[in-house]
Amino acid sequence: MRSLLVGLTLIAMAIAAPRMAAQKVELSIDASKPGAKIDRHLFGQFAEHLGHGIYEGIWVGADSTIPNTRGIRNDVVAALKVIHVPNVRWPGGCFADGYHWRDGIGAQRVVRLNPDWGGVIEPNTFGTHEFMDFIDQIGSEAYVSVNVGSGSPQEASDWLEYMTAAQATTLEKERAANGHPAPYKVALLGLGNESWDCGGNMTADYYLDRMKSFSHFVRNYNPAQMEKDQMLKIAVGPGGSEQRWTDWTETVMKAYQQHTWSWDINGLSMHNYTVVKWPPAFKSVGFGEDEYAQILKTTLDMDDLIKKHSAIMDKYDPQKKVALVVDEWGSWYAPSPGSNPGFLVQQNSLRDAILTALNINIFARHADRVRGANIAQMINVLQAMILTDHEKMVLTPTYYIHKMYVPFQDSTFVPVTFDAGSYKHGDFTLPRVDAMAAKSKDGKLWVEITNVDPHHPAEVELNVTGINAKSVAGETLTAPKVDSVNTFDAPNTVVPKPISARAQGGKLILQLEPKSVTVVSVEQ
Ligand code: AHR
């Protein structure tokens, strides 16, 4: 009886509680004014030999009781196919500059340690062929980072010949004998990783000299990549905004301006994690509005960082031939309690979903220069799409944002104007809403709107010119709390739900939940 009374009282209180007033936002979109292409490679992923990112996350081995195809888990492949991963960066990260590709081919694998990440055994059972099989299974492309730190141009050159040669060289025959007669495609090539730090602690000048050698000697021989689909070479770029990073960008780009036929680059990498301060101390779950506001405020620094380095690139490359490739980004929190700190395990909440949308929108607004980005990392590490525990798998809020954004891959940016207003919490003030629009490859107009405010719904009035907009429909993602997560036991706490607009007086009105991400298409 008592519990019935308590229940009725709570229901009465909920009915009586005033719903927070919706904040009105006017979005104007002129669909006749398309901008830059939003490259599908902005949605790239990163899979490093780190913790359970590869082993268990992707690779379980052919003898595993976990359903797999040639050792690669089927549940993970099925989930990744849905989000149309354009490229996977591998094998690192810091791991790449200690990686020797011969350890990971053939029947006899070389067992080593992984000194970067927990000092654990690296069995090398997942090597070149397994990686290529994996990206083939998920329908993606290879972004291979070669070892500039502890390797040599010759070692990297041999690796590329092994992977891509079509003519009967010794390395081509070895690849065929190992099960793959056809040359592999290598879409992107990373010339080192963080060479200013774990990649060898180099000065910019020293790196530049080494990078030129690698750029020249590390060739792609795949006949299908000679004329079109040429492999893009990505040089190591900055990791922050301080002078040491702007100097680095200056050094590489100044040299690029004067580069000769014998070396070239197509991209400059940039790494930027949302971390507030090192070592990462923010909790990935079990936090409140303070940490929500501070992390999202910090993540917006991505915009200034891109502007800063783009301005330097513009000086030496006004035609924007060299892409800025943000090939490591995402949230980096304190390790989950009880986990190996070297494995970078963290939970993934609604806050991460919103952080993802904000960053992708920043990349899209700079799409003329930012033509690649790789969230760190794909599975079980940092801001992951997927978490696994032996045979169990769960999709994170970040995964669902990637799913909702699929129509933006290779779309054309369309400018949106709106008054964002502000969301204030304590010392932090952020734009209350964010929005982005683009025309997908099939000509359809797509609009994304993020309501950062965790308390107030937003009433969005869409004014679309340039097309005859009749209705909008799509999906929205929110959850009860800013730190709501999906777990193996409750996998559907943060999942997208359908949403549509109501037409009112010739306008399209969308009601957005607080702390939500919404993607809709405009029907004509
Ligand atoms: O993603 C984890 C690590 O962060 C990468 O290995 C390194 O490049 C960066 O410092």
Side-chain angles (χ1 to χ4, degrees), residues 7-58:
L8 287 172
T9 313
L10 285 176
I11 291 168
M13 279 165 63
I15 292 168
R19 186 171 156 77
M20 288 282 196
Q23 310 273 359
K24 290 200 192 298
V25 186
E26 267 187 52
L27 279 190
S28 298
I29 305 169
D30 185 349
S32 67
K33 288 204 179 117
K37 177 178 155 190
I38 300 175
D39 201 303
R40 69 182 186 287
H41 287 299
L42 289 180
F43 300 87
Q45 301 275 336
F46 174 32
E48 179 167 15
H49 287 239
L50 194 176
H52 292 299
I54 301 281
Y55 299 107
E56 187 186 307
I58 296 171

Side-chain angles (χ1 to χ4, degrees), residues 46 48 93-94 117 193-194 271 273 328 332 344 377 382:
F46 174 32
E48 179 167 15
C94 296
W117 304 117
N193 170 77
E194 299 194 353
H271 290 181
Y273 286 96
E328 285 188 33
W332 192 325
L344 311 186
Q377 297 194 6
L382 298 175

Side-chain angles (χ1 to χ4, degrees), residues 274-292:
T274 301
V275 66
V276 181
K277 63 179 165 53
W278 296 97
F282 278 60
K283 288 194 281 184
S284 58
V285 66
F287 58 85
E289 193 173 347
D290 289 353
E291 297 92 328
Y292 172 79

Side-chain angles (χ1 to χ4, degrees), residues 20 289 292-293 296 350 354 423-425 432 451-457 478-482 513-516:
M20 288 282 196
E289 193 173 347
Y292 172 79
L296 294 185
L350 177 65
I354 293 173
Y423 153 58
K424 292 193 176 92
H425 179 77
R432 190 156 44 79
N451 183 10
V452 174
D453 191 321
H455 304 294
H456 296 91
T478 187
K481 297 187 294 164
V482 288
E513 292 292 322
K515 51 179 167 28
S516 64

